[in-house]
Amino acid sequence: MKKVGILTGGGDCPGLNSVIRAVVRYAIQENYRVAGIKNGWKGLVENDTVELNLQSVSGILPMGGTILGTSRTNPYKKENDIKNAKENFKKMGLEALIAVGGEDTLGVAHKLYKDGFNVVGAPKTIDNDLNCTDVTFGFDTALNVATDAIDRLHTTAESHHRIMIVEVMGRHAGWIALESGIAGGADVILIPEIPIDIDEVCGIIKKRYFRGKTFSIVVAAEGAQFKKGTMVLQEEKLDAFGHVRLGGIGQRIGEEIEKRTGYETRVTVLGHVQRGGTPTAFDRVLGTRFGIKAMELVLKKDYGKMASVQGNKIIAVSLEAAVSELKTVDMEFYNIAKIFFG
Ligand code: F6P
């Protein structure tokens, strides 16, 4: 029997299990065996796999996280790791490998493909910053979590006449901040793509006060910055893909606003709550469609490609194009949000 491998890498997100389930169900129907590679690229380096069958994917559709586990391992970081990964790919007897991940995981998938291995991808990330796809699964769930938090903060902000800063995820792209801010009726939305103008922010808040609105909601992406290149870090240590740990910009913004306006301010950091829990119906359906497309690419031997959604169609794009640059916030979209500021 032919064998296909699947792994999930990078930050987990809701909907990963629907991709795994779709791949397994379709692969078995097509007489393939499925090797579940554990903990992202780490499992390929260490030859850590589990056989996936109908039983293993039963009941996983509503589950958050990934039944395969994940890691931020970059096998190309160490010569020995990539050597082992390539040997294990062969040892496992894989006809092809499906990598489910964001720009880092799919960057490795692309390199592996260039090195002569049969690899395809499926795009995930709550940040929604992957190129060549309208949306990634996981984003919708994170967006709904953030919107729910903003709704809840509204009632307490109004009662106490406070400014509430909500720090959401979004390292280089402010999609979660933008869309949860629009959906939750935020008074200011701060994203990594545009440096923060604190005078403008305070001006908007003061104007609201003068028209009787004695509370405000400010949504800030964790990657928002006062000046380009001044991201607020929790830790400077770089991970295997060269990323630092962000967090804390909400606090800085809150302090500045309180100091300049004199209005009482509180800060809420949503953090990993946005990545956990059960996926929305949208993410389950998108994950399912991506999984089927990825397996279809394997069946057609159309390697080096990634499943993507454009309009309402699931299509294949090259991994190379998908990882070539990040999809940052569209300024036309941001301008819609600005109409509702204040
Ligand atoms: O990759 C998505 C993401 O959730 C980012 O928004 C965030 O900066 C990062 O992962 C957090 O990573 P970790 O789970 O390693 O703390």
Side-chain angles (χ1 to χ4, degrees):
M1 256 173 118
K2 291 178 182 173
K3 203 198 242 184
V4 62
I6 179 167
L7 62 80
T8 55
D12 71 331
C13 83
L16 282 165
N17 288 325
S18 59
V19 184
I20 299 170
R21 173 178 173 269
V23 166
V24 172
R25 294 285 294 261
Y26 193 15
I28 288 175
Q29 190 182 297
E30 296 296 320
N31 293 316
Y32 274 74
R33 286 175 65 192
V34 186
I37 296 164
K38 289 180 157 175
N39 304 318
W41 296 112
K42 189 166 187 271
L44 194 63
V45 172
E46 296 175 356
N47 200 359
D48 189 6
T49 64
V50 56
E51 170 109 21
L52 294 176
N53 53 31
L54 294 180
Q55 191 55 35
S56 13
V57 295
S58 166
I60 66 170
L61 201 49
M63 282 164 53
T66 159
I67 59 162
L68 289 175
T70 187
S71 72
R72 293 197 188 275
T73 301
N74 179 358
Y76 280 93
K77 196 85 183 143
K78 289 185 198 146
E79 218 172 284
N80 233 15
D81 282 0
I82 191 60
K83 189 171 150 272
N84 288 338
K86 286 176 178 176
E87 274 171 19
N88 289 333
F89 196 115
K90 289 177 189 156
K91 263 193 221 155
M92 286 175 199
L94 301 180
E95 180 188 87
L97 171 65
I98 298 174
V100 189
E103 47 143 351
D104 297 331
T105 303
L106 296 182
V108 172
H110 173 56
K111 278 191 185 164
L112 210 49
Y113 167 69
K114 296 276 277 180
D115 286 348
F117 290 80
N118 300 340
V119 186
V120 302
K124 73 88 233 193
T125 168
I126 64 160
D127 287 4
N128 196 30
D129 58 0
L130 203 69
N131 205 23
C132 300
T133 184
D134 289 351
V135 68
T136 47
F137 67 87
F139 172 65
D140 186 65
T141 307
L143 177 57
N144 278 286
V145 171
T147 304
D148 178 59
I150 296 170
D151 288 347
R152 289 169 190 275
L153 289 167
H154 248 113
T155 58
T156 171
E158 189 160 12
S159 307
H160 282 267
H161 314 285
R162 281 174 174 159
I163 317 295
M164 292 290 186
I165 318 293
V166 194
E167 183 181 307
V168 298
M169 279 187 169
R171 227 196 275 260
H172 303 292
W175 292 106
I176 298 178
L178 173 68
E179 295 200 31
S180 66
I182 293 176
D187 302 298
V188 179
I189 300 169
L190 302 169
I191 57 174
E193 292 85 343
I194 306 172
I196 302 167
D197 181 341
I198 199 70
D199 292 326
E200 190 187 358
V201 173
C202 293
I204 292 169
I205 291 170
K206 278 190 192 156
K207 225 164 126 192
R208 266 177 69 79
Y209 260 74
F210 296 140
R211 68 176 173 87
K213 289 287 189 187
T214 56
F215 71 97
S216 290
I217 304 284
V218 177
V219 180
E222 62 181 353
Q225 311 159 63
F226 286 104
K227 257 194 242 141
K228 226 174 169 343
T230 61
M231 279 177 169
V232 181
L233 315 183
Q234 263 187 49
E235 207 180 76
E236 294 207 10
K237 213 176 89 195
L238 299 179
D239 70 14
F241 290 95
H243 302 300
V244 286
R245 265 181 71 201
L246 297 180
I249 186 64
Q251 189 60 36
R252 300 272 178 93
I253 296 167
E255 284 163 9
E256 280 300 318
I257 291 178
E258 195 166 79
K259 197 168 77 191
R260 287 162 187 252
T261 62
Y263 304 143
E264 199 180 9
T265 304
R266 293 286 187 273
V267 179
T268 303
V269 181
L270 294 187
H272 293 80
V273 166
Q274 296 159 95
R275 287 227 309 252
T278 189
T280 57
F282 180 89
D283 280 336
R284 296 181 204 188
V285 174
L286 189 61
T288 300
R289 294 178 82 194
F290 281 163
I292 296 298
K293 185 68 185 182
M295 189 58 211
E296 187 188 299
L297 292 172
V298 171
L299 294 172
K300 287 185 177 161
K301 303 192 188 309
D302 196 1
Y303 308 124
K305 300 278 173 65
M306 176 188 91
S308 127
V309 61
Q310 289 183 16
N312 196 27
K313 289 265 174 266
I314 303 290
I315 61 160
V317 296
S318 76
L319 276 171
E320 183 168 21
V323 301
S324 62
E325 58 176 329
L326 283 179
K327 184 186 71 187
T328 51
V329 164
D330 169 3
M331 285 307 132
E332 258 181 53
F333 203 164
Y334 187 74
N335 287 337
I336 293 176
K338 278 182 86 174
I339 293 173
F340 301 93
F341 281 11

